[in-house]
Amino acid sequence: MGARPQLENYRIIEQIGKGAMGAVYKALQISLNRMVALKILPPKLATDKNYIARFLQEAKVAAKLNHENIVYVIDVGESHGVYYYAMEYVEGKTVKQIVEEKGVMEEPQVCDIALQAARALDCAYSHSIVHRDIKPSNLMVTAENVVKLCDFGLARQLDMDMKGVTATIAGTPYYISPEQIRNKPLDTRTDIYSLGGTLYFMVTGDVPFSGSSPVIVMTKHLYEKPTPPRAKNPKISAQLEAVILKCMQKRPEERFQSPAELIRALESLKSPKPSFPRIKPRRPLRRRFRR
């Protein structure tokens, strides 16, 4: 690893992540004496105006979202030619790490994480923002079991000016929606599809579709149905399986139409079923007639 970037007001401690649009560091914000997550645009991209614009746009989109289940943006700027933005530092593990370390999750935990993630999507939906990269590694779970949606590197605001932006397939092949693959117009239902794929992973330990190449995996997203989750994990309820499979319908109009609709379905799974005392049927009365 090369020399750490030098920024005013931040002291970088260690690298904690890396993506196509930059590395993420744990850093101390000196002025407020607090830990932050600092995303920095790589030097090789920091000379390209288009990449700089995309990087700053990512920060601005994420900064519009103020919700307990979304990692919030603290600061954005440039220092000595280094473009950065600072985010809330979250101590915890990703859903991907939890499943890989402990195995599939129990249904109550799945429902709780799914509900919090759906509330994050509902906040994004209220601002006309599509995340476009919902996956197990982008959902952090803190020690207090608070879920944080992170990495808005592919996020788009639906009314965003996209002039000059080349159309490319964006997203992770294992969780990408069919309309993303086809480069169709997107809305919140694409994130619902990807969240469904993430829930599938949580209850089975498997991705919905696998293959020897991204093209094969994406082709399966387009044309094949996933193996029902209960075939891999019979412990989950038929109701949870139905929610997952509805999220993952190929046609957007056949999925939940909004995060609020998904939230209602998940809340019904968490709500205790009413129990009523069993009433024994009464024997029919026999009338005696006098002759």
Side-chain angles (χ1 to χ4, degrees):
M1 188 170 65
R4 293 174 181 174
Q6 301 296 315
L7 290 87
E8 294 176 3
N9 194 34
Y10 294 98
R11 184 165 69 244
I12 292 177
I13 297 171
E14 61 179 334
Q15 184 173 315
I16 55 176
K18 189 174 183 180
M21 283 293 288
V24 180
Y25 298 88
K26 179 180 179 181
L28 176 69
Q29 187 180 19
I30 298 169
S31 60
L32 293 176
N33 193 32
R34 65 177 173 182
M35 291 299 171
V36 299
L38 203 62
K39 187 166 186 177
I40 295 177
L41 186 67
K44 64 181 180 180
L45 302 181
T47 56
D48 187 314
K49 291 182 179 179
N50 290 327
Y51 278 107
I52 293 171
R54 283 177 58 186
F55 184 79
L56 297 178
Q57 185 64 49
E58 173 187 346
K60 290 174 183 176
V61 168
K64 292 181 179 181
L65 304 176
N66 182 14
H67 192 274
E68 65 176 343
N69 296 124
I70 296 175
V71 172
Y72 61 85
V73 172
I74 296 167
D75 184 25
V76 61
E78 177 266 336
S79 176
H80 304 297
V82 177
Y83 291 89
Y84 69 90
Y85 71 87
M87 301 166 283
E88 168 190 15
Y89 177 68
V90 179
E91 290 204 46
K93 293 186 177 181
T94 67
V95 165
K96 186 174 187 289
Q97 289 172 326
I98 294 170
V99 173
E100 288 177 345
E101 292 175 9
K102 298 183 178 180
V104 298
M105 297 181 180
E106 297 291 331
E107 185 161 330
Q109 186 182 17
V110 172
C111 290
D112 184 57
I113 292 174
L115 257 175
Q116 294 187 63
R119 288 170 183 149
L121 292 186
D122 193 44
C123 176
Y125 177 58
S126 70
H127 289 80
S128 300
I129 291 172
V130 182
H131 186 279
R132 300 203 305 167
D133 200 20
I134 303 296
K135 57 185 178 182
S137 58
N138 279 342
L139 291 176
M140 293 282 296
V141 183
T142 71
E144 295 77 28
N145 294 317
V146 177
V147 175
K148 297 280 188 177
L149 175 60
C150 56
D151 195 349
F152 281 76
L154 297 180
R156 288 286 180 268
Q157 191 155 357
L158 298 184
D159 57 358
M160 186 186 297
D161 182 6
M162 299 299 289
K163 288 181 181 178
V165 177
T166 304
T168 56
I169 296 175
T172 302
Y174 290 123
Y175 303 97
I176 194 170
S177 72
E179 59 269 30
Q180 280 177 279
I181 297 169
R182 292 190 168 106
N183 270 321
K184 297 289 186 181
L186 303 179
D187 57 34
T188 190
R189 294 173 296 182
T190 192
D191 287 341
I192 288 173
Y193 181 95
S194 299
L195 180 56
T198 298
L199 300 185
Y200 189 100
F201 173 76
M202 290 161 65
V203 300
T204 67
D206 293 333
V207 292
F209 302 107
S210 59
S212 58
S213 72
V215 172
I216 291 173
V217 173
M218 289 191 288
T219 301
K220 290 181 178 180
H221 277 289
L222 289 174
Y223 301 111
E224 293 187 13
K225 291 183 178 181
T227 301
R230 295 183 80 219
K232 297 183 178 183
N233 180 4
K235 292 182 179 180
I236 68 167
S237 67
Q239 292 81 4
L240 177 56
E241 179 183 71
V243 167
I244 294 171
L245 294 178
K246 184 169 183 178
C247 286
M248 295 194 66
Q249 289 296 309
K250 306 295 183 191
R251 292 161 56 86
E253 56 268 29
E254 294 177 358
R255 300 174 203 151
F256 295 102
Q257 295 301 289
S258 67
E261 189 179 332
L262 173 57
I263 288 168
R264 287 193 293 272
L266 290 167
E267 285 177 338
S268 70
L269 289 179
K270 288 193 71 175
S271 300
K273 303 292 185 292
S275 58
F276 301 101
R278 189 173 177 182
I279 300 174
K280 295 181 179 179
R282 291 174 124 192
R283 292 182 179 180
L285 294 175
R286 293 182 180 178
R287 292 186 179 182
R288 295 181 180 181
F289 296 95
R290 293 180 181 179
R291 294 183 180 179

